[in-house]
Structures are given as structure tokens and as C-alpha cells.
């Protein structure tokens, strides 16, 4: 299994792959993933230039552990196959499939990726996939998409296109996205995949942004697509377990291990009733804290 | 001759200027010297009227002639009209071979270009130059030599007689008929007149130029009537919109905020960060952001700043109002908030350029600084800084108080993004050196922080922190790995400018730029 399949992905920052000044050093802001965009940010007659810029960035720049995801053009375009070739030739970490509507879409990209891996001598399975759901059909097929390939690590909502398909618009209340968000996280969790929320574009409304991140965290999401490094700190803060949560999780893990050995099933930690069902959640908190570099304990 | 920062100073420049090569930032400590003095025309007769009808008339009264040195201050920044209006009259009179001795010149003074080309102006002495004047100097159009001096260095040069001012023209936001000048209350308020004090005291003739004549006596005066020969009233001395902007919005550039946070974290982890500490910072985005973030921590920890020094901007005044600063000691105001603060807040004081930074007086304010936060165009691996010459070889900046504060502060921090576009800011060798590395303690970039190995104490202080400390060589390597090592700019042989160290020695020279020639 690719060790990156379930890596920490709290923030996924969009960057226009055609802009050298943007893609030369986004790692200094320490996002978990960057999303090098060949799709909407790049003008139709600049697609080839963006691929050149992307290829050289992937080959030359040490992104210091930040995951390099590339958003390729949609399967309805003439660009996506060449996009996939460049992604593989440059050895990105993951490919984001735009406008995914079915398992067949995922498999088509996977087949093209495997062809390119053959061509460039890249180890099979070393590059992962993720799917962007941008239409009502995509949302309805979320589970099918999530289970289409073992290389697919997760799904992301693309709110702009989705609301157009829904014949509404982004209102700022979240009501128009509520169904999609719920459907996606349920499908992703059922398939054991990660789930990422859409972008929040009003950079002046940091309070609104924080609320949205807190909401999707509460819904179960793994992370958020972001458009500016200003959004990283808040996203990471919300998605990183607090010291209080870490200490509690640590106690749960230790107590469950100890009590299990003694044959005790239910007990209390800090006044809260705890049983074995709390164990996976506590382990997840500790793992997340470790991945985020904030765990100082001995588990 | 190779000077103490390793720069080759041509012997003919040493001979022509009589200046010595730089020997170290503190080499002239304890030296004694005798100050120069102006020639004063006594005004005993109370019937003498100091008011003069026009610039042309006052030039005649002052005995303007070829070869004179005329001085100006730069408190009106890019909104200044005074330099151009005086020089236009000088030009009309056909006067040649003028030396301009200004505390600084900027793009506002682009209209001087034809006067440089036709020999009206043949020498320029300034903190720095930008725009067309910088290009004119760098491309060899100025017939004489440009001398770039720090704010403290200029006062030293005037007081020691290295330069003698024949006529000082002092733009005054308000002035009375007998020459008492203030920096507040007029159409073109600039807050303080700090850099003009030395001109008023050491020039043979002193002319006040104002657009707001006020009733006598205009008190408290920044510059007193006892030093003023004539007063000229004109329509406008400056463009208020360019003299002072409104309160700058805090930057939203995450890179700058990140560097500002590094800076604040560095500051608070030094032993100097304690109640009563002294601090100076610039006006750039990262500097302003660091003032704001430092203010928050001061509040949290109950630590007050005893002294805020230097060029002042709104965020510093806000901390004064909040009671987090005891006293602001001011030499220049960058925005309307600062201008208003110095006029109204009893703990916000105007000082002279000499008090601020003159290295050869009996102790300037900069000597009492704990921290100074500076910027730089380039920093070399020996921590030498360049704030005057662009990486393209063109003169495009000003020393300001950079070398003065760096030498004075206990902890000198330079903030510079590692890359300025495609140019590495951390490099093997600066295009020019303005501030010696022995006075620079820390360089903060967006990629990491380097501490000068001379400061093992600071290296030790940062050991427990999460700051990304590395060596300056590592920063240079990171920069070169991203954008490559640029080929050096090609210069000709002719020296067009001298970068004077604050103590009057030559720290570097600037040569005429040469067109790039492609290798075959």
C-alpha cells in the first residue's frame, strides 16, 4: 500500500501551475498538500505552457514533504491525457480528477496513468488519485467513485460547479451545499476514504472561514481546499487536536489497554464513562497529533 | 586599497576626496576634533525685514554663484516641491556647478535630470537617490561625484566641515515672518524637521520656505529665528497626499506576516526584551506587522517599551496611546497618525538628526537602542548589507539611518525575503556595502533565520525556540538553488559614487554601470 494513502491532509492549497512565482516555494507556509492547477486557473491557450512550468517545478523543486497534487483538466477536454503524462513524467504525488461523475471516470484516468507509468518507468501505484465531485451526478455516485480504485485516497467537493448544476449559487449560509457535504462524507467514510471540503473565496472574511472549517470538521471531514496561505493557520488549528484532546485521548488509550487486561469493560476517565468504542477515536486523535507534529507523549 | 569590509577603494578616490578607507564601525571612537562653523551675517537692526518676495530674489540676496553648495531636507518625502522650485530658479539664472547636499532625494526630484545633464548640478550628496537621478549617477551623467551618507553621517559631515553649506533652503509647514519654523499646523504638515536642524545651524545662509505664514511668534519652533536669514512665502511647498499617507492597512501578505512573526519571536527570546526596552523599526509591511505582533505580546506579558526611536508610523503611536510605550523619540513621520501624535501627545518628542544618529557627537540616541528592525536589498555571507545599489547596479535606495542604528543597537535584525523576484537577497557578495556586517546580528528571511556567528550569545538564546535557525551560508545556498547564482553586474572603471560610512570613511564606491555584453 502506498504509505501516503492516509496521510494528513488538513489543507490543500490551490496554486496556478503556470505561475512560477507561486509554485516556486509554497512549502514555506507549510500546507499539508498543494494543488497545482492545470484546469480552471489556466487559460485555454496556455495549457501547454502550464504543463511545461508544472513539469519543471515537479522535477526541480524540493517541496520538503508537502504533498504535490495536480488538478488535471476534465475528461471531456482534449487536455487531460497529456496532463496525466506530464504528472507521471514529473512524478507528482497525486492526481486530482476534475468533474468526476462515475467509477468509470476514475478507472479511465487510472488506465492513462498506468500507461504513462510504463512509458516513463515510474513504479506502479506510486502516484495516487483523488476525485473532485462537481455535479449532482457526481454526488449521487459518490460511493461508487470512492470505491472505484485502491489508489484513490479521497474525494473533494467543488462547490462552485456543483451549485451551478444545482441551479443555485454559493449563498454563504452553506444551505446549498448541505446535502452534498453530507452525502460525500457518508460515502467516503463508508468506503474508508478521506473527504475534503470546497474552497472559501472571501479572504477578508476570516471569521466566516473559521466557522466553515469548524463546521466541516464537526461533520467529519479530513480537510479543506484553500486558495491562499492566509487560510492555512486557521485550517490547521481547527483540524489539529488540542493539547486537552490529546491528553484525554492518551488517557483513554492507556486506560483501555490496562482495563482490557484486567477484564474491565466500562470505566471512567476524567469523570466521563468510557468503553472500548472510544478506543479507535482516541487512537485517531493521537495519530493525527503525531502527524501534525504536536504530540509530545510516549504512545 | 582594501578596506575593513574587503572592498577595493581606488587610490585616486582616496586622493581626490581626502577620505580614508573604512577601518571598522567603531574605529574612530574617542577621537577628538574641532567642529566647523558658519559665517553669520548679524541682523542687529530691528527694521530689517526677513520676508522676500520670491525664490529668485532670495537667491540673489544670498549671493548665489557657480560652485555653491545648496542644502535641503526630505521631510516632505515624495511630496516635496522645494528642491525643484529652488533649482528651477537656479537653472534659469544660468548658475553652474552646484552641489546639492540633501538629507535624501527621491523620485519627486526627477525634474533635476536636465540640470544634471547640462552641468547646473555637478555633485550630489544625499542619503540616497531613486528614480531618474539614481540612473543619471549610475550611467555617468553627473560630472562630479555622488556621496551617499547615512542620516547620522550627514550631520557628522556638516558639523566636521567635510561639507560646507552655502545656502540652506528649509521647507517649513508653518513659519512666521522672522523665521521661526514648525512642522505642524500648515497645509503640508510633516510632523518634525529633525534633519533640517543641522542645516540651520551650519549653513552660511538659511532660507525658510513656507506655504503657511503664521502670526509671530510661531512657537514652539523646531528651527529658531536666530538661525534664519530670509523667509519666502510660496503657494505650495509640497503635495500633502504624498508627504503623508493615511494609516497604512496592516499587510495581508502572509510571507511578510510570517517574517514579522519570526522577528517578534526572536525579539522576545532575547534578554533585552524586558520592561523599559528600546526599539526602532522601519515602515515596510513586515516591520509594521512586527510592531503589531510585538504589541500583543507586550500587553500579554505586561512589558512596556521605554523608548521607541526613529522614523515613526501609526502602529507605534497606537502603542504609545495604549500606554505600552513610555516615550517616542521622533526624527521622521511616515503617516498622518504619526504627524498628529507628535503634535498632540506629550510623550512624543521631536529630536535633531544629530541627537538621533551622529556618530561623532557625545552620544546619539541610536547608542541606546536595544533592538532595531531593518530591511535590506542584499545581505552577504559576512552579514554586510546593501541598501543603496540595486542588484542591477543602479543606485536606487537610501542609507537612511540603516548603518547608524545597526551600529548603535544591541540587537540588529534585518528582515529580507530570500528572493527579490529572481534576485537572491542573500548572496556571496553584495553589489555594494552600506552597512558593515560587524554591526548586523540577525537576518530573518521567509526561509529561515541566520544569526551572526559573532553573536554566540544570541545563538544560545534561540536554542530552546522553534524558530528556523540556520547559517547564512545555508540561506545563500537555498537562494542559489532556487534562482541560481546571478552573474555579477558589469561595471566600468569610473567611480560615480562614494558610499560613505557614518564616520566619514569610505565603505564602498559605486562604479558607472556598463551595458551587458553577451559572451560569444
Amino acid at each position: 500500500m502506498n504509505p501516503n494513502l492516509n496521510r494528513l491532509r488538513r489543507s490543500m492549497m490551490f496554486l496556478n501551475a503556470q505561475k512560477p512565482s507561486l509554485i516556486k516555494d509554497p512549502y514555506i507556509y507549510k500546507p499539508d498538500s498543494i494543488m497545482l492547477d492545470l484546469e480552471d486557473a489556466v487559460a485555454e491557450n496556455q495549457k501547454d505552457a502550464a504543463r511545461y512550468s508544472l513539469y519543471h517545478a515537479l522535477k526541480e523543486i524540493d517541496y520538503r514533504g508537502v504533498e504535490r497534487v495536480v488538478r488535471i483538466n476534465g475528461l471531456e477536454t482534449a487536455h487531460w491525457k497529456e496532463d496525466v503524462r506530464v504528472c507521471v513524467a514529473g512524478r507528482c504525488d497525486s492526481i486530482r480528477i476534475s468533474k468526476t461523475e462515475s467509477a468509470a471516470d476514475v478507472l479511465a484516468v487510472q488506465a492513462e496513468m498506468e500507461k504513462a507509468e510504463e512509458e516513463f518507468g515510474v513504479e506502479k501505484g506510486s502516484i495516487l488519485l483523488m476525485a473532485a465531485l462537481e455535479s449532482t451526478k457526481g454526488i449521487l455516485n459518490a460511493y461508487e467513485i470512492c470505491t472505484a480504485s485502491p489508489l484513490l485516497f479521497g474525494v473533494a467537493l467543488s462547490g462552485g460547479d456543483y451549485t451551478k448544476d444545482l441551479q443555485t449559487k454559493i449563498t454563504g449560509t452553506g444551505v446549498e451545499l448541505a446535502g452534498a457535504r453530507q452525502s460525500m462524507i457518508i460515502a467516503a467514510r463508508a468506503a474508508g476514504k478521506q473527504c475534503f471540503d470546497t474552497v472559501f473565496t472571501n479572504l477578508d472574511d476570516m471569521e466566516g472561514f473559521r466557522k466553515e472549517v469548524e463546521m466541516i470538521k464537526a461533520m467529519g471531514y479530513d480537510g479543506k481546499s484553500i486558495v491562499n496561505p492566509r487560510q492555512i493557520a486557521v485550517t490547521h488549528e481547527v483540524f489539529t487536536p488540542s493539547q486537552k484532546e490529546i491528553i484525554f485521548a492518551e488517557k483513554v488509550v492507556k486506560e483501555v489497554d490496562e482495563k482490557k487486561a484486567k477484564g474491565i469493560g466500562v470505566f471512567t476517565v476524567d469523570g466521563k464513562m468510557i468503553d472500548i468504542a472510544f478506543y479507535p477515536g482516541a487512537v485517531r486523535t493521537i495519530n493525527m497529533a503525531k502527524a501534525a507534529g504536536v504530540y509530545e507523549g510516549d504512545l | 586599497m582594501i578596506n575593513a569590509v574587503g572592498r577595493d577603494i581606488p587610490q585616486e578616490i582616496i586622493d581626490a576626496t581626502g577620505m580614508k578607507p573604512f577601518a571598522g564601525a567603531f574605529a574612530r571612537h574617542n577621537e577628538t576634533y574641532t567642529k566647523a562653523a558658519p559665517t553669520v551675517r548679524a541682523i542687529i537692526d530691528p527694521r530689517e525685514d526677513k520676508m522676500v518676495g520670491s525664490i529668485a530674489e532670495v537667491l540673489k540676496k544670498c549671493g548665489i554663484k557657480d560652485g555653491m553648495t545648496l542644502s535641503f531636507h526630505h521631510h516632505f518625502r515624495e511630496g516635496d516641491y522645494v528642491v525643484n522650485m529652488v533649482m528651477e530658479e537656479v537653472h534659469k539664472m544660468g548658475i553652474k556647478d552646484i552641489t546639492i547636499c540633501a538629507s535624501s532625494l527621491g523620485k519627486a526630484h526627477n525634474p533635476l535630470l536636465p540640470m544634471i545633464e547640462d552641468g547646473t548640478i555637478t555633485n550630489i550628496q544625499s542619503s540616497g537617490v531613486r528614480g531618474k537621478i539614481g540612473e543619471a549617477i549610475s550611467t555617468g551623467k553627473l560630472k562630479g561625484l555622488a556621496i551617499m551618507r547615512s542620516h547620522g553621517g550627514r550631520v557628522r559631515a556638516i558639523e566636521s566641515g567635510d561639507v560646507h553649506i552655502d545656502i540652506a533652503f528649509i521647507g517649513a509647514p508653518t513659519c512666521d515672518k522672522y523665521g521661526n519654523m514648525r512642522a505642524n499646523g500648515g497645509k503640508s504638515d510633516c510632523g518634525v524637521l529633525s534633519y533640517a536642524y543641522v542645516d540651520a545651524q551650519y549653513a552660511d545662509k538659511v532660507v525658510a520656505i513656507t506655504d503657511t505664514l503664521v502670526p509671530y511668534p510661531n512657537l514652539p519652533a523646531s528651527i529658531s529665528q536666530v538661525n534664519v536669514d530670509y523667509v519666502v512665502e510660496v503657494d505650495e511647498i509640497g503635495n500633502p497626499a504624498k508627504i503623508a499617507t493615511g494609516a497604512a492597512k496592516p499587510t495581508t501578505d502572509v510571507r511578510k506576516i510570517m517574517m514579522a512573526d519570526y522577528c517578534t519571536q526572536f525579539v522576545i527570546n532575547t534578554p533585552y526584551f524586558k520592561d523599559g526596552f528600546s526599539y526602532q523599526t522601519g515602515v515596510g509591511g513586515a516591520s509594521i506587522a512586527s510592531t503589531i505582533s510585538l504589541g500583543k505580546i507586550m500587553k500579554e506579558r505586561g512589558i512596556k517599551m521605554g523608548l521607541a526611536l526613529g522614523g515613526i508610523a501609526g502602529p507605534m503611536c497606537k502603542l504609545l496611546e495604549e500606554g505600552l510605550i513610555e516615550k517616542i523619540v521622533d526624527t521622521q513621520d511616515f503617516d498622518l497618525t504619526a504627524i498628529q501624535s507628535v503634535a498632540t501627545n506629550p510623550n512624543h518628542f521631536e529630536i535633531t538628526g544629530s541627537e538621533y544618529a551622529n556618530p561623532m557627537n557625545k552620544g546619539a540616541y541610536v547608542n541606546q537602542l536595544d533592538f532595531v528592525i531593518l530591511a535590506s536589498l542584499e545581505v552577504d555571507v559576512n552579514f554586510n548589507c546593501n541598501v543603496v545599489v540595486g542588484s542591477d547596479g543602479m543606485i536606487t535606495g537610501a542609507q537612511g539611518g540603516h548603518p547608524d542604528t545597526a551600529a548603535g543597537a544591541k540587537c540588529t535584525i534585518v528582515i529580507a525575503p530570500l528572493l527579490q523576484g529572481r534576485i537572491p537577497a542573500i548572496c556571496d557578495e553584495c553589489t555594494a556595502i552600506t552597512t558593515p556586517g560587524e554591526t548586523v546580528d540577525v537576518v530573518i528571511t521567509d526561509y529561515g533565520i541566520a544569526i551572526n556567528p559573532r553573536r554566540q550569545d544570541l545563538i544560545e538564546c534561540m536554542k530552546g525556540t522553534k524558530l528556523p535557525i540556520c547559517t547564512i551560508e545555508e540561506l545563500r545556498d537555498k537562494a542559489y538553488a532556487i534562482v541560481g547564482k546571478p552573474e555579477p553586474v558589469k561595471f566600468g572603471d569610473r567611480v560615480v559614487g562614494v558610499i560613505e560610512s557614518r564616520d566619514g570613511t569610505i565603505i564602498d564606491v559605486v562604479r558607472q554601470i556598463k551595458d551587458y555584453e553577451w559572451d560569444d
Side-chain angles (χ1 to χ4, degrees), chain A residues 21-22 24-30 60 64 204 228-231 293 296, chain B residues 249 252-255 257-258 262 419 421 446-447 466 468 478 481-483:
Chain A
S21 60
L22 289 181
K24 73 177 193 304
D25 62 356
Y27 52 81
I28 65 166
Y29 306 117
K30 303 187 176 70
E60 302 295 334
R64 296 161 205 220
D204 292 328
N228 189 286
R230 280 158 71 182
Q231 298 177 323
E296 288 165 357
Chain B
K249 253 177 102 178
T252 54
D253 182 335
V254 186
R255 201 174 286 260
I257 292 172
M258 197 168 78
Y262 286 161
L419 306 170
D446 35 357
Y447 287 72
K466 286 184 176 168
K478 280 179 193 173
I482 297 168
V483 292

Side-chain angles (χ1 to χ4, degrees), chain B residues 73 75-77 171-173 182-185 188-193 243-244 330 332-334 339 342:
Chain B
H73 69 73
H75 286 286
F76 302 139
R77 303 169 68 219
R182 295 191 65 209
N184 277 101
S188 307
D189 285 4
C190 59
V192 293
L193 284 169
I243 295 170
D330 186 343
Q332 195 181 355
D333 292 320
F334 293 119
I339 288 172
V342 70

Side-chain angles (χ1 to χ4, degrees), chain B residues 341-365:
Chain B
S341 173
V342 70
T344 55
N345 194 314
N347 288 315
H348 188 153
F349 300 91
E350 174 184 18
I351 54 163
T352 69
S354 182
E355 288 173 305
Y356 171 45
N358 176 5
M360 299 293 275
N361 64 19
K362 294 176 185 176
Y365 271 89

